[in-house]
Amino acid sequence: MSGTLKTGVIGLGFFGSRHARIYADHPAAELVAVCDSDQARAAAVAGETGAQGFDDLHALLALPELEAVSICLPDRLHEEAALAAAAAGKAILLEKPLAHDAATARRIVEAVEKSGVRFMVGHILRFDPRYVQTFYAAAPERLGTPIHIRAKRSGIRATAQRLGASSSILFYMGVHDIDAMQWIARSRISRVYAQKVELLGTGNEDALYAVVNFENGAIGNIDYSWAWPDGLMNGFRSTLEIVGTKSAAYLDCTDQGLYVVEDEGTSGGDTHLWPEINGRIAGDLADELGHFVQATLSGKPYVQHYREALDAIPVLDALAQSAQTGVPAEVVR
Ligand SMILES: NC(=O)c1ccc[n+]([C@@H]2O[C@H](COP(=O)([O-])OP(=O)(O)OC[C@H]3O[C@@H](n4cnc5c(N)ncnc54)[C@H](O)[C@@H]3O)[C@@H](O)[C@H]2O)c1
């Protein structure tokens, strides 16, 4: 590969539009093409970034000069694009979750392995300094054996309303913490017992709580909600704690460390995820895409192997099954 990675972005909604801007600004990337089935959106992002705009992902993937692609389509639409990108020989950054169920996720992995293309899943917490430091603190020589681990993620109901039935609390939010818990505990979840509530009529679950068991004997607890009123500062909060036989670690992203106080009240601002700093998108997402660009160019491994991303998806299936049936479910791998 040359010194610059020629990239494209498929899906230009909330997240894909950010991927496009980051590639357009990255010194080692060239944004060649963008695609959205909404022609006006494709034209707008193409106009802002100088890339070619398409409304058909197959036309974008047919560009011979294109080397890599971000897939930022709704959660249930990852398969067609991932299989087409693999068949076209492009390196792939697929937004999380790898897929909306384990059978689909396995088909994507199979296609990627058959084609031999580079493949990374966009697990952004692998690039968040707070989560990465917690992973370091939970190293076995420091933490000992994990005893219990808890993750909490709260979002606002406007997000659930925006996505409707195209997503679920598990695909959009929950997969972050399932991946983080398995990564930080250095063990996979084997069994879950979940319950959910749906009162607000958003087309999604309002809340899902679960108790989970890890292969290494630890127990875990997850607490997801996107029933919070839209006034929740920064639109989300998350926490994670792990307690081991020798030490413990916890992180708290309840706020972003920034408070803006006006007569109308106090508000926050994004200081970590994808803040705009000096005219560019910075933070975890820019670090993630920068890593994808550099590791693809150099041929070095990505920080997370896609098989670890795959490990999260059967847990989502088991959580959905348990929440539906009201009884515990085994994770089928
Ligand atoms: N890592 C994170 O923190 C994070 C945050 C937000 C979203 N995401 C992920 O990013 C993905 C996209 O989420 P979003 O919030 O941007 O969704 P979105 O609904 O805002 O955007 C999806 C876009 O895809 C387009 N689209 C739909 N079908 C298409 C097709 N066949 N061909 C081309 N374009 C098509 C839609 O017109 C829309 O513009 C999801 O998988 C989501 O889970 C990750």
Side-chain angles (χ1 to χ4, degrees):
M1 266 175 196
S2 63
T4 304
L5 188 71
K6 295 188 170 52
T7 58
V9 179
I10 299 173
L12 301 169
F14 175 78
F15 227 40
S17 58
R18 288 171 170 80
H19 278 238
R21 275 193 61 194
I22 291 169
Y23 287 134
D25 285 339
H26 196 283
E30 181 188 341
L31 182 69
V32 172
V34 293
C35 167
D36 199 289
S37 50
D38 178 334
Q39 279 185 350
R41 195 168 286 181
V45 178
E48 280 163 25
T49 58
Q52 297 177 64
F54 294 88
D55 60 9
D56 173 17
L57 65 92
H58 299 282
L60 175 143
L61 290 169
L63 292 175
E65 68 271 32
L66 190 74
E67 295 169 305
V69 68
S70 274
I71 299 173
C72 304
L73 295 176
D75 300 320
R76 287 192 171 83
L77 302 183
H78 288 186
E79 183 179 11
E80 182 198 345
L83 265 52
K90 315 299 184 192
I92 301 169
L93 171 52
L94 176 60
E95 262 308 333
K96 47 55 59 179
L98 203 168
H100 63 286
D101 62 31
T104 310
R106 286 188 201 105
R107 285 197 298 273
I108 292 175
V109 165
E110 205 175 294
V112 161
E113 292 184 342
K114 200 170 150 202
S115 69
V117 298
R118 302 290 310 278
F119 181 47
M120 176 173 142
V121 179
H123 278 294
I124 194 169
L125 299 186
R126 302 283 183 134
F127 297 87
D128 187 309
R130 299 164 295 192
Y131 283 85
V132 177
Q133 297 277 12
T134 305
F135 172 75
Y136 296 153
E141 61 275 20
R142 295 176 76 182
L143 186 97
T145 304
I147 300 170
H148 62 89
I149 178 164
R150 171 196 295 261
K152 176 183 178 72
R153 186 165 298 269
S154 306
I156 52 176
R157 53 188 70 173
T159 310
Q161 277 156 352
R162 176 173 73 81
L163 295 163
S166 79
S167 190
S168 98
I169 204 166
L170 291 171
F171 311 154
Y172 209 77
M173 302 192 349
V175 72
H176 286 298
D177 302 280
I178 298 302
D179 177 59
M181 290 168 95
Q182 297 191 132
W183 167 50
I184 290 167
R186 280 114 170 131
S187 183
R188 299 187 306 181
I189 294 169
S190 55
R191 189 168 187 266
V192 307
Y193 180 30
Q195 295 194 21
K196 65 177 178 178
V197 178
E198 292 173 5
L199 273 183
L200 294 174
T202 60
N204 286 289
E205 306 87 348
D206 302 330
L208 185 145
Y209 283 10
V211 173
V212 303
N213 298 98
F214 287 80
E215 289 172 349
N216 65 5
I219 55 167
N221 170 263
I222 54 182
D223 161 351
Y224 298 144
S225 163
W226 52 20
W228 283 76
D230 297 340
L232 179 68
M233 192 183 286
N234 303 314
F236 93 104
R237 53 198 284 252
S238 69
T239 61
L240 186 140
E241 62 188 42
I242 181 164
V243 176
T245 50
K246 284 166 67 174
S247 69
Y250 65 92
L251 62 83
D252 189 340
C253 307
T254 297
D255 66 54
Q256 299 281 318
L258 170 67
Y259 306 88
V260 180
V261 184
E262 295 162 302
D263 288 341
E264 296 74 29
T266 303
S267 58
D270 176 15
T271 61
H272 285 78
L273 299 175
W274 39 82
E276 180 157 337
I277 305 293
N278 301 325
R280 289 183 172 204
I281 295 179
D284 302 343
L285 184 63
D287 285 349
E288 176 192 312
L289 269 60
H291 170 73
F292 175 69
V293 168
Q294 298 290 2
T296 305
L297 284 170
S298 68
K300 289 188 180 155
Y302 299 128
V303 294
Q304 180 188 36
H305 194 279
Y306 57 81
R307 286 213 160 257
E308 285 181 39
L310 176 62
D311 273 340
I313 310 302
V315 183
L316 302 188
D317 280 0
L319 286 165
Q321 182 192 327
S322 176
Q324 195 62 39
T325 59
V327 295
E330 301 296 324
V331 177
V332 181
R333 296 190 187 277

